[in-house]
Amino acid sequence: MSLPRFGPHNDPGPDFAALLRLTGTGPETGSLGASAQHPQAPPEIPHGTTCVAVRYDSGVVMAGDRRATAGHLISNHRIEKVFPADRHSGVAIAGAAGPSAEMVRLFQLQLEHYEKVEGTPISLEGKANQLGQMVRANLPSAMQGLVVVPIFAGFDTAASRGRIFEYDVTGGRYEERDHAATGSGSLHADTVVKLGYRTSMARNAAVDLVLDALYVASDADSATGGPDPVRDVFPVVAVIDAGGYVRLDDAELRRRTERLLRRHRSRREGDEAGAS
């Protein structure tokens, strides 16, 4: 490999970042060793998007939409982004779909292995810390576009309450008091949750709130999929309480979604009648 040569008009001098860009070896080129004249664009990778978690009086509710996108293409209408971590906890993923799913499987395996070796489950705090280390280990891949940013939530059997943790790309772990959101539609979803959240809200109210949040996010963010009754595609919603992790079935989600759509339709018709 020969050393790169620069003319007087494009010499990066002591700027190392500029040198990487000119030689095509920076993370934004998507390919180490690409020439400056022929940079290689990174491949279009399926990404999962919006997930939310809300704490209610007896536990937590986690939900995620079902759309995966690769650039402007909808690559999957039925991807799952909410998974059980163990009996009393779950993880919701946003980011590059492949690394996200791999991280979840490894996380599940590590928690199962710890319980088999120690004879007791790891504490919820310990689970959150372990997931943070895994996110931190993914940082080199994240710098090349394979970002994974999860939400972790569960029922703390020692404290008898639900708890929610969110992360940044460096593995930083932050406990949220009442709710959290991640993904491209998180701004819109989080706004809905903030407006609708009430302290010590009941389970059914929390489920309806996360469905509403994802619906509004899908209306404003093209990467977030809305409910599709024609294809029987609804968000993945899981409830975690003292009884453990339970995923809601599609029949219940269809009933709740139809009620949600009727409510939005009535509100819109009322607004139009008031304006006329």
Side-chain angles (χ1 to χ4, degrees):
M1 178 179 178
S2 60
L3 293 176
R5 300 175 65 88
F6 304 101
H9 301 293
N10 66 345
D11 189 345
D15 188 343
F16 183 67
L19 174 65
L20 294 181
R21 287 194 297 270
L22 288 170
T23 57
T25 54
E28 70 277 5
T29 65
S31 175
L32 295 179
S35 68
Q37 291 77 19
H38 303 283
Q40 297 183 16
E44 295 290 1
I45 301 167
H47 279 70
T49 48
T50 311
C51 299
V52 295
V54 171
R55 193 167 69 88
Y56 69 99
D57 58 2
S58 300
V60 292
V61 175
M62 305 186 76
D65 77 297
R66 304 292 296 274
R67 176 175 292 177
T69 58
H72 296 290
L73 173 71
I74 299 176
S75 61
N76 196 306
H77 291 275
R78 297 177 181 271
I79 189 173
E80 299 198 2
K81 308 173 188 177
V82 180
F83 305 89
D86 64 358
R87 288 190 302 275
H88 287 97
S89 63
V91 57
I93 57 173
S100 296
E102 182 181 4
M103 183 179 295
V104 169
R105 288 192 293 268
L106 182 58
F107 185 49
Q108 293 170 330
L109 182 62
Q110 289 180 342
L111 297 185
E112 181 181 355
H113 178 72
Y114 180 94
E115 185 171 353
K116 287 180 177 179
V117 171
E118 299 295 333
T120 183
I122 189 173
S123 67
L124 194 70
E125 189 97 13
K127 298 172 193 176
N129 291 338
Q130 179 63 35
L131 184 56
Q133 293 175 7
M134 297 177 69
V135 175
R136 174 65 180 84
N138 187 64
L139 183 57
S141 296
M143 297 297 290
Q144 299 188 42
L146 303 179
V147 179
V148 178
V149 184
I151 295 176
F152 176 71
F155 184 81
D156 191 331
T157 55
S160 297
R161 64 184 179 90
R163 299 174 68 185
I164 299 172
F165 301 86
E166 62 178 0
Y167 301 83
D168 61 32
V169 71
T170 67
R173 189 214 73 178
Y174 314 98
E175 182 169 4
E176 295 296 331
R177 178 179 176 85
D178 297 317
H179 52 79
T182 188
S184 62
S186 59
L187 175 62
H188 311 289
D190 198 44
T191 299
V192 174
V193 172
K194 287 179 179 177
L195 292 174
Y197 185 80
R198 300 293 181 270
T199 303
S200 299
M201 66 192 314
R203 170 192 180 275
N204 288 340
V207 171
D208 287 338
L209 181 59
V210 298
L211 289 175
D212 196 10
L214 291 177
Y215 173 77
V216 172
S218 71
D219 193 44
D221 175 49
S222 62
T224 303
D228 189 346
V230 175
R231 294 190 179 95
D232 282 327
V233 178
F234 301 96
V236 175
V237 181
V239 176
I240 312 172
D241 56 18
Y245 180 103
V246 176
R247 173 173 169 170
L248 303 189
D249 60 38
D250 284 349
E252 179 178 354
L253 292 174
R254 173 181 283 275
R255 292 193 299 270
R256 291 181 179 276
T257 298
E258 290 174 348
R259 188 164 63 243
L260 169 68
L261 295 177
R262 286 197 299 269
R263 188 167 66 249
H264 277 276
R265 189 178 301 113
S266 298
R267 185 182 305 162
R268 181 172 301 173
E269 291 172 351
D271 292 341
E272 292 174 351
S276 61

